[in-house]
């Protein structure tokens, strides 16, 4: 096992950093600051982060096949043109609810954008329960709702054979699997494949590696854990120097680097003085595994 190295590469001090996505074309890492209301792009070449401000909480960002990006903004799916800093609404969900917003989102292997909602928090991880739903934005811009009664819709990814969809509703403290039909985008047969232990705290964002193992960022747990979805066993724990680890993705030229976002919301002065890198983006090298490139939205 090679030695694992962790460094804070983007000292952004995000309020809630989330949704890291590697953009191979730009050779850069995309991520969002949800409550800071900005979409960010960090370049390893310059070490600099560019940020585009938006007018609502922005919870996920994804590549778009036709160029530029798609985002989840408030309760809207929207398009983002980077150079022009232009945001265009594509469609809206949860129209009957005044108090929800999108949370995590990701594109499936067929180019559909999956994202779920949650109630607005009164403080971190404290909110009205069962207000969220899971949605898919199809390439023709139609939307399907899969289910509701979600607390905090969070991490999602697909198995390497595309037959299983993995999903996290954070306050269930569980990583779940569904049967997945790539042709239709339908999901079914929900089951729990891993229940988090007390010290792991709250499951948040998630990604998959080329060996089909899942990596889950543990909010308030200060770690990412590697899970075997077949056996339900935890294989590895990587601890970070901040408690509020929010999400993870693989990136770099060969997708051998892991990037982990974090948050600073809800931390008082004393806590922040102990963890000055809270809200930063971390790069982990030496894991000995690689990830797969993100899928672009086909619409």
């Amino acid at each position: 096992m090679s030695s694992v190295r962790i460094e804070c590469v983007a000292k952004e001090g995000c309020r809630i950093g989330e949704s890291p996505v590697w953009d191979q074309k730009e050779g850069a890492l995309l991520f969002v600051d949800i409550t800071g209301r900005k979409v960010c792009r960090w370049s390893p070449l310059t070490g600099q982060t560019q940020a585009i401000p938006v007018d609502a909480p922005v919870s996920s960002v994804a590549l778009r096949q036709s160029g530029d990006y798609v985002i989840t903004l408030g309760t809207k799916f929207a398009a983002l043109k980077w150079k022009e800093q232009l945001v265009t609404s594509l469609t809206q969900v949860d129209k009957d609810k005044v108090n929800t917003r999108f949370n995590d989102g990701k594109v499936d292997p067929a180019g559909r954008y999956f994202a779920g909602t949650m109630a607005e928090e009164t403080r971190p991880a404290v909110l009205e329960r069962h207000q969220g739903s899971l949605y898919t934005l199809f390439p023709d811009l139609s939307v399907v709702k899969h289910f509701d009664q979600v607390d905090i819709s969070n991490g999602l990814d697909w198995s390497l054979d595309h037959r299983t969809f993995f999903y996290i509703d954070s306050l269930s403290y569980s990583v779940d699997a569904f049967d997945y039909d790539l042709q239709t985008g339908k999901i079914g047969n929900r089951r729990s494949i891993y229940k988090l232990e007390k010290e792991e705290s709250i499951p948040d964002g998630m990604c998959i590696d080329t060996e089909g193992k899942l990596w889950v960022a543990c909010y308030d747990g200060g770690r990412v854990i590697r899970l075997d979805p077949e056996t339900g066993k935890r294989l590895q724990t990587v601890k970070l120097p901040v408690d509020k680890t929010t999400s993870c993705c693989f990136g770099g030229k060969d997708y051998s680097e892991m990037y982990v976002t974090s948050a600073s919301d809800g931390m008082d002065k004393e806590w922040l003085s102990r963890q000055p890198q809270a809200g930063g983006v971390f790069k982990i090298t030496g894991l000995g595994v690689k990830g797969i490139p993100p899928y672009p939205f086909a619409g």
Side-chain angles (χ1 to χ4, degrees), residues 28-65:
L29 183 79
L30 294 160
F31 59 98
V32 300
D33 182 350
I34 300 179
T35 39
R37 298 187 172 197
K38 54 189 181 187
V39 183
C40 305
R41 194 163 77 183
W42 171 78
S43 163
L45 284 176
T46 63
Q48 299 299 305
T49 303
Q50 295 172 286
I52 292 181
V54 291
D55 64 1
V58 56
S59 59
S60 72
V61 58
L63 308 177
R64 193 173 189 181
Q65 208 166 281

Side-chain angles (χ1 to χ4, degrees), residues 2-200:
S2 47
S3 61
V4 172
R5 235 183 109 225
I6 301 168
E7 61 176 314
C8 185
V9 290
K11 300 170 179 63
E12 291 313 296
C14 285
R15 290 180 57 190
I16 307 178
E18 255 289 359
S19 185
V21 179
W22 186 256
D23 183 345
Q24 188 73 48
K25 200 163 100 253
E26 294 292 330
L29 183 79
L30 294 160
F31 59 98
V32 300
D33 182 350
I34 300 179
T35 39
R37 298 187 172 197
K38 54 189 181 187
V39 183
C40 305
R41 194 163 77 183
W42 171 78
S43 163
L45 284 176
T46 63
Q48 299 299 305
T49 303
Q50 295 172 286
I52 292 181
V54 291
D55 64 1
V58 56
S59 59
S60 72
V61 58
L63 308 177
R64 193 173 189 181
Q65 208 166 281
S66 57
D68 284 303
Y69 309 115
V70 279
I71 58 175
T72 46
L73 183 70
T75 52
K76 292 175 179 169
F77 285 105
L80 169 64
K81 280 195 174 337
W82 188 267
K83 276 204 186 82
E84 297 87 343
Q85 302 202 1
L86 181 69
V87 175
T88 316
S89 174
L90 297 173
T91 186
Q92 189 171 4
V93 302
D94 280 10
K95 286 181 185 153
D96 55 331
K97 295 184 173 175
V98 290
N99 192 33
T100 62
R101 66 160 173 85
F102 267 120
N103 200 40
D104 207 354
K106 196 173 276 185
V107 176
D108 85 343
R112 307 176 190 100
Y113 194 2
F114 275 64
T117 54
M118 60 185 274
E120 291 278 9
E121 293 168 299
T122 49
R123 49 181 206 279
V126 178
L127 70 166
E128 195 182 339
R129 309 264 321 240
H130 312 310
Q131 296 304 300
S133 303
L134 180 68
Y135 294 97
T136 298
L137 176 69
F138 281 73
D140 65 1
L141 305 188
S142 63
V143 173
V144 164
K145 177 169 156 179
H146 296 282
F147 51 79
D148 51 21
Q149 300 291 307
V150 174
D151 287 324
I152 301 179
S153 189
N154 233 321
L156 6 75
D157 219 326
W158 289 264
S159 61
L160 301 182
D161 66 4
H162 308 158
R163 291 169 69 165
T164 308
F165 169 59
F166 300 108
Y167 175 71
I168 290 168
D169 179 353
S170 288
L171 297 188
S172 69
Y173 297 91
S174 171
V175 180
D176 291 354
F178 293 79
D179 295 344
Y180 192 64
D181 184 338
L182 187 65
Q183 295 309 111
T184 61
K186 286 201 170 90
I187 59 176
N189 185 27
R190 184 174 190 169
R191 59 228 179 245
S192 174
I193 54 168
Y194 184 81
K195 284 278 189 197
L196 273 81
E197 293 175 17
K198 196 165 189 243
E199 74 276 5
E200 292 167 348

Side-chain angles (χ1 to χ4, degrees), residues 166 175 193-194 209 211-216 225-236:
F166 300 108
V175 180
I193 54 168
Y194 184 81
D209 64 30
E211 294 172 10
K213 308 297 188 277
L214 299 172
W215 292 83
V216 178
I225 54 175
R226 187 181 191 224
L227 309 175
D228 185 334
E230 298 295 314
T231 63
K233 296 272 190 295
R234 184 181 68 226
L235 305 172
Q236 192 177 349

